[in-house]
Amino acid sequence: MSFFGFGPSAEIEILLDGSDTRKAAELKLEDGRKERFPLYYDGETVSGKVNVVLKKSNGKLEHQGIKIEFIGQIDLYFDRGNRHEFVSMVRELARPGILTQNASYNFEFVNVEKPYESYTGSNRLSDLVKEQEICVHTLAQYPDLNSSIKMEVGIEDCLHIEFEYNKSKYHLKDVIVGKIYFLLVRIKIKHMEIQVIKREIAGSGPNALNENETLAKFEIMDGAPVRGESIPIRLFLSGYDLTPTMRDINKKFSVKYYLNLVLVDEEERRYFKQQEVTLFRKADKKRRPIASNMIERGIFHHRTAQFGGPQPPPQQPQQQTVESPELETGSTHVSPAMPSKPVAAAGQSEEPDDDEAEADDDEEDEDEEPEAEDEDNDGDRQEDRDSKNGQL
Amino acid sequence: LFWQTRSQDMSGPVTEDQEKLLDEALSVVKLQAFQMKRCLDKAKLMDALKHASNMLGELRTSLLSPKSYYELYMLITDEMRHLELYLLDEFQKGRRVQDLYELVQYAGNIIPRLYLLITVGVVYIKCSEISRKDILKDLVEMCRGVQHPLRGLFLRNYLLQCTKNVLPDCVEEEQEDSGSVSDSIDFVLLNFSEMNKLWVRMQHQGHTRERDRREQERRELKLLVGTNLVRLSQLDTIDVQRYRSVVLPAVLEQVVNCRDALSQDYVMECIIQVFPDEYHLATLQDFLQACAELNPAVPVKNILISLINRLSAFATRDGSNGIPSDIPLFDFFSEQIAKIIENKPDLSPEDLVSLQAALTGLALGVYKDREDYVDKVLETTNSGLDKLGVEHINDHSNLSRELMKLLKLPIDLWNDALVLLRLRHYSPLLQRLDSPTKKSVSAYLLQNMLNNGTLVPSSEQVEQLLDLVRCLVADPGADAAAAAADATATNSLGGDPGDGSANGAGPGSEADNEDLAEEQSLLGRVVHLFSTGPDLLDEQFGVLKTARRILATGGGRRVKYTLPPVVFHSRQDSDDKWRKKCRKIFEFCHSTVCGLAKCELPNLALRLFVDGALVVDKIPFDQHDTRMTCFAAENHEPLRSQTVHAASKLLRKPDQSRAVAACAHLFWSGRPRELQGAEMRDLKKVGECLKRAGRLASQCMDAGLQAQLYTELVNYYLYFVLQSAGQSGSSGAACVRSVWSVSGVV
């Protein structure tokens, strides 16, 4: 541009302090590529230096002031024209004037509040720092109240199971430990798997946009159990590409995670139960390099994962879902005796994820409200499914 | 495991399908294994794990029969060894791969995941025992995820194979962290009960019409389940105490609760075989208690028999201390068996008998001197059969076979028929058998007596013995009177007295007669065992008298074989000390032989008389006059003429000639009573005989032979001439004339 005598006659460079030692994190870009950006946490000071290098050694640059801004913004895919800024801070670096030589300015945003984590999803949401994008991770403390999820579900006279996940909130490198206990089995189950489903909700109210993605399919049982069997669950989350759960970020979008327990019978009918879990990011700890640590992580004794062990009574309300009348409603609708559509339509386990995710969509839309209101009541919610796939 | 059965089973298209499916799976495995090993060579562990996982994925199939699946499994586990060795090597060099135990659990499919987890877990244990206990516990728990019977059984078998040499085998105090034997016990017991459940579940899957095939398949897989028990038995730290308090109760609980006949049958048998005898002794009551609780379809008797046999063998083995005296082994089993019989009204008689046979074996093996035990068993058997309403026992039936086995046991183990005679319930049981089997047992007993030289020293015992083997002594079902009647009947029927077969009843065939001859010879030989010993001559005589009395009831066909030994035996003992009795003895012999003669067995009688005469000749016996009383004058004459007559009926002329010539002596040296012991020297008759012989010789076609006959004849003439020379001249002259006349012919 300088060829024409206007346009930037100087190059501007932002150097963040400690950029060579700072950790970097990967972010997906709009086109799907991944790039690494310096990683900042909430409340951390962002400081650095701005270098203005004049193109011509003895030229001069007249400016109306030099500012640096720290901006957090959300771009929604379906609403590209509008940017929603949730953070905006300005530091004045220089008064209007003329630069005759290269200049360098230090800046510092002290203890800047970065309320949201960087996130790129199907709905393309991102935090940007002008000119220099940074990545923000928000860390969460281990939640004080982290009760297990325990529930008895089933279809009357057909299948009754009790499942338990050891927590309701997991950090991103956590392990889900649990157990499925079969109380009644009158169907021939072929296998059982746990899926991790991510649901993005962009916008709100009636215009909210939902998108589901199955991130993990993890087989936890092969073959048909009989009454009284208990099947262990151990799912390492670090094997998957997960982000923290995000709730109503700046009233723009949410990201939620669900564990979906799916039982497939010999006729490829699928019985499932979805259960939301909260994911959060925990500060990295230096791992002890000795084996015993590994073992601690790798092994979870049944004793430690024992369900209903020293559980306090307040857990009981959840248990009441057992008696929930919806179970019966559910059973009439998912009864294998009345398939109204060809089984193959949605039943194949090999079907692409989207198919199933969409199927879920249909059903979830109707019930969006109650779920948003009260997560603890998830268990009570029983939805009708198309006849092949039964939600437990 | 399957090698023995490979050739059987599966037919036609199924086989082809199986082969094709198996081949496909095997080729995938080979390819993946090859790539896995190549990655290992290049130290690309993650890629190697990926290929290993692909390879293991083949084990997810539901299409293969157990046999094919086994082949696939074998190949795959073989390849997994490479991975294990590589990891061990790396770990021992200190290149421990971080979080490998966690890493392999990322695999999405459970089968490859668990196989990898086991492999890695064992590598961890082998490198450091610190977390051994935890890893073992974790592995066996995680395997619950595979609920498919076949895949689950093989997975758990892999677990068992891999952990073979790493199970903690020390008592609790020694190693707190790395686990103790109780951890191993928990581990194996859990694995065992899970495997057993899967194995039992196989039975209830699929179509009922395939039940037989499923059972067959299950049998092929039983070793997988049994390996758990083998592993337990290999843990040295499991002592009797631990076995009794922990191991056995758990195994029994599982096996009783599974209520599956096949499983119960196999596992119980397995327990008996894999654990030491001392343990069985210590836990007998528990084990027997469990036996009573098994599924009615389980052949409990096989289990008990197996256990009893094992303990019997143990008690008699060299170096063992025998059964501890505080364990009333016999009572245990006897009670238990009684309970089983009581609880199982549908128990077949043969099962009942074979149970009792095992018990007898125990009594005989462990308590050799407790005849009452054996008698008790026999009594129970007898009453048991009564209760079951068994009246007739067919030959060749299983029951007959079992009962025969039972009856032979005491014979074999005691080698003393006299003890048998003391048992009150042996004979009744024996008499239940059908005739051929009864005879064979009786013959077996007699043979045993002969082999052991069992002497029967008293008449009561002889009586008992002969009563015991009465099927051999007399015709079945016939008491003494009937037998006698029978004998008369056969007598009146007549027939050729020289041939016993003619005396046989209607259905008597050649084979029957051979059998009869064999049995009766045996009986005859046993008569020689009726011996009181040298000092008890009176008793000896009594014994023989008894023997004769009873044997005589056997009828014509039998006495032929049985009485002669009596005669011989009685003579055998006539040594110097017994002189006083000699007369009695000879009278005895005489009457016996007469009895034989009455039975139209004159040839035999004759031979016996002749033999008796020889004996009398040899011993200093002054009452010679009695010796020939057997031949009354009135029958002497016909006997002689009959002899001549018989002689001239011989087949060949030369034989006729010689025989008739020999008969001449009868008329010369015979001493009929009317001559007061003088030789009769009936020259006329002698001459007749010799003339007849000469005539017969002249009819002979062969000139050389004829000449020889004449020469012999001349010899006869010369003898009689010389003999008669000292007598009246007239007769001497006649003789000489005759001689010359014969010479003239020559």
Side-chain angles (χ1 to χ4, degrees):
Chain A
M1 290 300 171
S2 55
F3 183 75
F4 298 102
F6 48 86
S9 51
E11 277 181 1
I12 304 171
E13 189 184 24
I14 302 176
L15 289 174
L16 294 168
D17 283 347
S19 58
D20 42 347
T21 54
R22 177 168 294 277
K23 267 209 317 198
E26 251 176 15
L27 266 188
K28 241 195 290 182
L29 298 183
E30 202 173 339
D31 53 10
R33 279 186 303 118
K34 285 183 173 174
E35 207 170 287
R36 295 179 74 75
F37 298 104
L39 175 65
Y40 283 86
Y41 297 102
D42 184 25
E44 206 175 354
T45 299
V46 180
S47 62
K49 197 162 44 166
V50 176
N51 293 326
V52 183
V53 181
L54 298 179
K55 288 273 171 71
K56 293 178 195 147
S57 54
N58 48 2
K60 53 185 177 182
L61 174 69
E62 195 177 336
H63 62 87
Q64 298 300 312
I66 298 174
K67 290 191 283 190
I68 183 157
E69 287 184 84
F70 182 92
I71 296 169
Q73 73 182 28
I74 299 171
D75 292 352
L76 289 175
Y77 197 68
F78 63 92
D79 188 19
R80 296 202 88 160
N82 294 324
R83 292 198 153 165
H84 306 277
E85 290 189 358
F86 55 88
V87 176
S88 181
M89 290 162 138
V90 185
R91 294 281 181 278
E92 195 120 332
L93 298 178
R95 312 295 300 261
I98 297 170
L99 277 183
T100 52
Q101 54 181 14
N102 294 351
S104 160
Y105 309 95
N106 289 325
F107 68 89
E108 190 174 34
F109 296 99
V110 182
N111 296 340
V112 62
E113 197 177 305
K114 299 179 275 295
Y116 307 129
E117 166 143 341
S118 301
Y119 178 80
T120 314
S122 323
N123 281 322
R124 214 192 90 69
L125 309 151
S126 63
D127 288 353
L128 288 176
V129 173
K130 200 169 185 181
E131 298 280 353
Q132 174 67 59
E133 202 168 340
I134 65 167
C135 178
V136 175
H137 280 176
T138 51
L139 299 180
Q141 288 299 308
Y142 188 85
D144 291 336
L145 185 68
N146 196 353
S147 55
S148 64
I149 300 173
K150 182 175 178 178
M151 205 176 290
E152 188 184 316
V153 292
I155 298 165
E156 197 179 340
D157 292 334
C158 182
L159 179 69
H160 280 245
I161 62 171
E162 183 181 285
F163 69 84
E164 177 159 348
Y165 306 125
N166 59 336
K167 303 174 195 169
S168 49
K169 301 181 174 100
Y170 294 94
H171 63 82
L172 296 181
K173 307 286 180 200
D174 213 343
V175 192
I176 297 172
V177 176
K179 173 154 113 172
I180 316 283
Y181 184 75
F182 286 83
L183 297 160
L184 175 79
V185 193
R186 294 235 176 101
I187 50 172
K188 287 177 179 167
I189 297 169
K190 211 167 65 177
H191 64 92
M192 174 165 69
E193 64 185 25
I194 290 227
Q195 300 176 338
V196 179
I197 295 174
K198 180 170 83 173
R199 175 171 303 152
E200 288 175 2
I201 304 143
S204 59
N207 300 323
L209 216 63
N210 261 353
E211 197 152 332
N212 290 337
E213 189 183 353
T214 304
L215 298 179
K217 281 186 166 185
F218 191 73
E219 189 184 20
I220 54 170
M221 187 186 75
D222 171 36
V226 293
R227 196 166 61 118
E229 292 289 353
S230 104
I231 307 299
I233 303 171
R234 188 191 299 151
L235 174 60
F236 289 90
L237 293 175
S238 50
Y240 306 102
D241 189 15
L242 304 172
T243 68
T245 294
M246 302 185 185
R247 288 190 207 286
D248 217 10
I249 299 296
N250 210 25
K251 296 200 169 34
K252 292 293 179 234
F253 73 100
S254 298
V255 179
K256 294 182 175 181
Y257 286 90
Y258 295 85
L259 292 180
N260 192 21
L261 182 69
V262 185
L263 293 100
V264 182
D265 73 7
E266 282 185 341
E267 280 144 73
E268 298 292 347
R269 282 185 290 249
R270 303 166 73 86
Y271 307 83
F272 67 90
K273 176 68 191 168
Q274 282 192 15
Q275 192 62 42
E276 189 184 352
V277 289
T278 305
L279 299 188
F280 63 94
R281 188 183 297 281
K282 201 174 105 180
D284 282 354
K285 258 198 255 163
K286 285 256 166 26
R287 287 235 182 113
R288 279 174 293 158
I290 55 167
S292 64
N293 179 43
M294 183 285 308
I295 298 302
E296 275 166 30
R297 248 180 89 68
I299 295 178
F300 290 83
H301 292 301
H302 264 262
R303 208 175 295 122
T304 54
Q306 200 69 53
F307 308 115
Q311 290 276 347
Q315 296 298 317
Q316 292 311 314
Q318 262 199 354
Q319 281 269 39
Q320 281 171 4
T321 56
V322 176
E323 278 85 42
S324 136
E326 277 93 346
L327 267 174
E328 304 224 351
T329 327
S331 70
T332 38
H333 285 273
V334 298
S335 163
M338 40 181 305
S340 56
K341 284 189 215 166
V343 168
Q348 290 298 328
S349 57
E350 300 300 322
E351 296 257 328
D353 298 339
D354 292 354
D355 223 294
E356 197 174 275
E358 269 170 33
D360 289 348
D361 251 0
D362 299 339
E363 143 229 333
E364 293 295 341
D365 280 350
E366 304 164 15
D367 275 278
E368 196 54 42
E369 298 288 59
E371 185 182 342
E373 278 173 23
D374 185 3
E375 292 147 30
D376 282 343
N377 270 345
D378 272 2
D380 289 320
R381 207 161 33 80
Q382 289 292 327
E383 286 111 351
D384 300 349
R385 291 286 303 162
D386 59 331
S387 54
K388 287 159 301 297
N389 296 343
Q391 164 138 6
L392 298 171
Chain B
L1 177 53
F2 292 114
W3 310 119
Q4 318 90 300
T5 52
R6 175 154 299 171
S7 55
Q8 308 164 4
D9 204 28
M10 294 201 304
S11 52
V14 183
T15 318
E16 281 168 29
D17 279 358
Q18 283 291 312
E19 279 173 10
K20 199 166 140 246
L21 288 165
L22 180 60
D23 283 348
E24 280 167 13
L26 289 178
S27 62
V28 172
V29 169
K30 281 172 191 154
L31 179 70
Q32 293 294 338
F34 172 74
Q35 287 172 339
M36 175 187 82
K37 283 180 274 190
R38 218 169 53 170
C39 291
L40 289 177
D41 288 343
K42 294 179 187 165
K44 291 181 178 170
L45 180 60
M46 288 306 126
D47 292 332
L49 287 175
K50 204 185 83 204
H51 289 299
S53 173
N54 289 344
M55 174 174 83
L56 290 163
E58 289 300 309
L59 285 172
R60 299 175 66 209
T61 179
S62 296
L63 302 170
L64 294 179
S65 70
K67 255 178 272 183
S68 309
Y69 194 84
Y70 171 73
E71 270 192 57
L72 184 64
Y73 166 85
M74 287 306 282
L75 180 65
I76 288 178
T77 51
D78 213 32
E79 299 293 355
M80 287 301 283
R81 293 276 305 151
H82 292 282
L83 180 62
E84 189 190 337
L85 289 176
Y86 171 85
L87 289 173
L88 269 178
D89 197 42
E90 289 290 296
F91 275 46
Q92 274 154 5
K93 284 179 191 159
R95 290 201 287 268
R96 179 179 287 271
V97 183
Q98 282 291 315
D99 298 341
L100 192 58
Y101 195 79
E102 177 180 329
L103 223 54
V104 292
Q105 296 187 62
Y106 292 171
N109 285 314
I110 188 162
I111 294 269
R113 179 167 72 235
L114 290 180
Y115 275 94
L116 283 172
L117 190 65
I118 291 168
T119 312
V120 172
V122 170
V123 169
Y124 271 89
I125 294 175
K126 283 182 178 166
C127 292
S128 140
E129 292 194 339
I130 295 170
S131 40
R132 172 166 73 171
K133 177 177 156 186
D134 294 338
I135 291 178
L136 286 175
K137 198 171 176 60
D138 187 56
L139 291 178
V140 74
E141 282 289 342
M142 290 312 283
C143 284
R144 283 183 196 273
V146 180
Q147 292 287 323
H148 184 275
L150 187 63
R151 296 194 282 271
L153 279 173
F154 277 98
L155 174 73
R156 286 183 177 276
N157 185 61
Y158 183 69
L159 174 63
L160 211 52
Q161 294 301 331
C162 286
T163 53
K164 186 173 180 180
N165 297 317
V166 300
L167 293 179
D169 193 6
C170 54
V171 290
E172 281 80 354
E173 295 79 39
E174 291 175 30
Q175 283 288 338
E176 197 58 45
D177 300 333
S178 64
S180 65
V181 70
S182 50
D183 296 305
S184 296
I185 294 173
D186 291 346
F187 171 81
V188 182
L189 281 178
L190 178 58
N191 200 51
F192 163 74
S193 65
E194 290 299 315
M195 279 179 95
N196 190 51
K197 278 194 263 179
L198 291 172
W199 190 45
V200 171
R201 205 182 295 166
M202 272 186 105
Q203 188 70 42
H204 307 291
Q205 290 183 344
H207 214 278
T208 33
R209 66 165 177 268
E210 290 171 334
R211 210 174 128 244
D212 291 345
R213 189 174 61 85
R214 268 202 308 275
E215 273 188 12
Q216 174 62 25
E217 288 179 352
R218 285 191 59 202
R219 281 202 188 88
E220 292 166 1
L221 292 169
K222 68 180 180 187
L223 282 186
L224 298 180
V225 182
T227 314
N228 288 291
L229 299 183
V230 174
R231 196 67 79 241
L232 283 174
S233 73
Q234 287 164 343
L235 292 171
D236 295 332
T237 335
I238 297 185
D239 50 12
V240 178
Q241 174 55 30
R242 216 183 277 272
Y243 175 77
R244 181 169 48 198
S245 60
V246 184
V247 177
L248 187 69
V251 174
L252 289 180
E253 189 193 354
Q254 168 60 29
V255 76
V256 168
N257 289 343
C258 81
R259 310 186 55 76
D260 176 82
L262 189 58
S263 160
Q264 292 181 337
D265 188 16
Y266 172 70
V267 175
M268 294 302 265
E269 178 71 34
C270 209
I271 294 174
I272 296 172
Q273 298 309 331
V274 302
F275 292 107
D277 302 303
E278 292 87 344
Y279 291 19
H280 294 318
L281 281 176
T283 56
L284 208 54
Q285 208 139 28
D286 302 331
F287 188 86
L288 293 179
Q289 177 60 34
C291 283
E293 292 169 16
L294 297 181
N295 183 325
V298 177
V300 178
K301 59 128 189 165
N302 293 351
I303 297 168
L304 283 183
I305 290 171
S306 181
L307 181 60
I308 291 174
N309 290 344
R310 210 173 146 170
L311 292 180
S312 308
F314 168 70
T316 47
R317 194 182 310 144
D318 293 339
S320 88
N321 302 326
I323 306 292
S325 53
D326 59 328
I327 301 176
L329 202 56
F330 179 82
D331 295 335
F332 270 171
F333 278 111
S334 153
E335 270 167 36
Q336 200 57 38
I337 286 173
K339 217 180 285 174
I340 287 169
I341 292 169
E342 202 174 300
N343 293 344
K344 289 192 170 186
D346 55 339
L347 188 78
S348 72
E350 56 260 37
D351 286 353
L352 178 129
V353 173
S354 58
L355 269 174
Q356 302 291 358
L359 197 52
T360 312
L362 177 79
L364 289 168
V366 182
Y367 307 98
K368 221 174 161 84
D369 47 347
R370 294 295 296 265
E371 296 160 20
D372 57 325
Y373 279 168
V374 178
D375 207 26
K376 190 176 161 195
V377 178
L378 295 174
E379 183 182 8
T380 324
T381 314
N382 218 354
S383 61
L385 288 176
D386 274 341
K387 264 184 214 153
L388 290 172
V390 177
E391 281 176 2
H392 187 75
I393 300 176
N394 276 326
D395 276 326
H396 311 299
S397 68
N398 287 335
L399 175 54
S400 167
R401 253 200 308 280
E402 293 297 339
L403 195 52
M404 182 160 82
K405 259 190 244 162
L406 168 61
L407 290 170
K408 280 181 177 179
L409 267 176
I411 303 178
D412 281 336
L413 279 149
W414 272 325
N415 282 327
D416 186 357
L418 297 184
V419 183
L420 279 190
L421 297 179
R422 288 200 288 274
L423 302 181
R424 280 176 304 127
H425 298 94
Y426 190 85
S427 180
L429 206 52
L430 176 63
Q431 305 313 332
R432 281 179 174 272
L433 283 170
D434 217 5
S435 174
T437 321
K438 192 161 34 175
K439 280 182 182 165
S440 114
V441 176
S442 302
Y444 191 79
L445 169 64
L446 297 183
Q447 189 63 51
N448 180 273
M449 288 175 70
L450 290 172
N451 294 347
N452 293 288
T454 313
L455 297 179
V456 187
S458 80
S459 359
E460 294 85 65
Q461 280 165 329
V462 168
E463 206 163 342
Q464 284 168 351
L465 177 69
L466 292 178
D467 183 56
L468 189 61
V469 298
R470 61 173 170 258
C471 59
L472 297 180
V473 174
D475 279 324
D479 57 19
D486 180 46
T488 349
T490 41
N491 285 349
S492 63
L493 280 174
D496 186 348
D499 187 357
S501 71
N503 281 341
S509 67
E510 203 62 28
D512 274 353
N513 284 315
E514 271 174 33
D515 287 349
L516 183 83
E518 215 166 283
E519 289 160 17
Q520 299 303 318
S521 327
L522 206 55
L523 195 54
R525 287 169 66 196
V526 168
V527 170
H528 290 281
L529 297 172
F530 297 168
S531 171
T532 51
D535 298 328
L536 299 161
L537 302 175
D538 283 341
E539 284 83 352
Q540 174 72 71
F541 189 61
V543 162
L544 289 176
K545 269 206 320 216
T546 314
R548 185 187 65 175
R549 179 167 55 78
I550 299 166
L551 290 175
T553 61
R557 300 161 63 203
R558 292 194 177 77
V559 291
K560 175 176 147 194
Y561 297 98
T562 52
L563 285 187
V566 176
V567 177
F568 279 110
H569 189 46
S570 62
R571 294 212 192 101
Q572 210 172 34
D573 292 304
S574 34
D575 55 8
D576 293 344
K577 291 177 185 171
W578 205 11
R579 195 160 310 161
K580 283 184 281 179
K581 302 282 177 193
C582 278
R583 185 187 164 84
K584 246 169 133 187
I585 291 168
F586 277 104
E587 271 167 8
F588 171 70
C589 292
H590 176 223
S591 61
T592 309
V593 176
C594 280
L596 283 171
K598 274 190 207 134
C599 292
E600 305 265 324
L601 297 166
N603 278 7
L604 184 65
L606 181 59
R607 260 189 276 135
L608 288 173
F609 278 131
V610 173
D611 192 73
L614 282 172
V615 173
V616 171
D617 225 20
K618 280 182 192 145
I619 59 172
F621 184 48
D622 38 7
Q623 290 173 301
H624 284 263
D625 60 319
T626 56
R627 61 186 165 165
M628 279 312 218
T629 50
C630 49
F631 279 128
E634 63 271 22
N635 55 23
H636 199 227
E637 179 65 35
L639 193 58
R640 275 175 301 208
S641 48
Q642 277 301 308
T643 315
V644 177
H645 184 70
S648 59
K649 286 274 161 64
L650 284 172
L651 187 62
R652 293 168 64 222
K653 289 290 175 196
D655 294 343
Q656 287 176 4
S657 168
R658 279 175 183 144
V660 172
C663 282
H665 284 293
L666 287 174
F667 299 100
W668 186 264
S669 51
R671 297 172 194 229
R673 185 172 287 167
E674 54 267 35
L675 296 178
Q676 270 90 37
E679 289 186 337
M680 55 195 284
R681 303 207 167 196
D682 187 347
L683 208 52
K684 181 167 159 275
K685 287 276 185 189
V686 170
E688 269 173 25
C689 281
L690 293 181
K691 255 185 227 162
R692 200 158 170 191
R695 207 162 49 239
L696 287 166
S698 68
Q699 288 166 3
C700 191
M701 306 300 277
D702 185 339
L705 193 57
Q706 198 177 35
Q708 203 187 337
L709 288 172
Y710 279 134
T711 318
E712 286 170 17
L713 263 181
V714 171
N715 253 337
Y716 275 108
Y717 274 113
L718 283 174
Y719 170 78
F720 287 118
V721 167
L722 289 174
Q723 285 286 311
S724 60
Q727 269 196 344
S728 63
S730 63
S731 59
C735 257
V736 174
R737 249 199 328 277
S738 314
V739 172
W740 286 120
S741 74
V742 174
S743 313
V745 178
V746 175

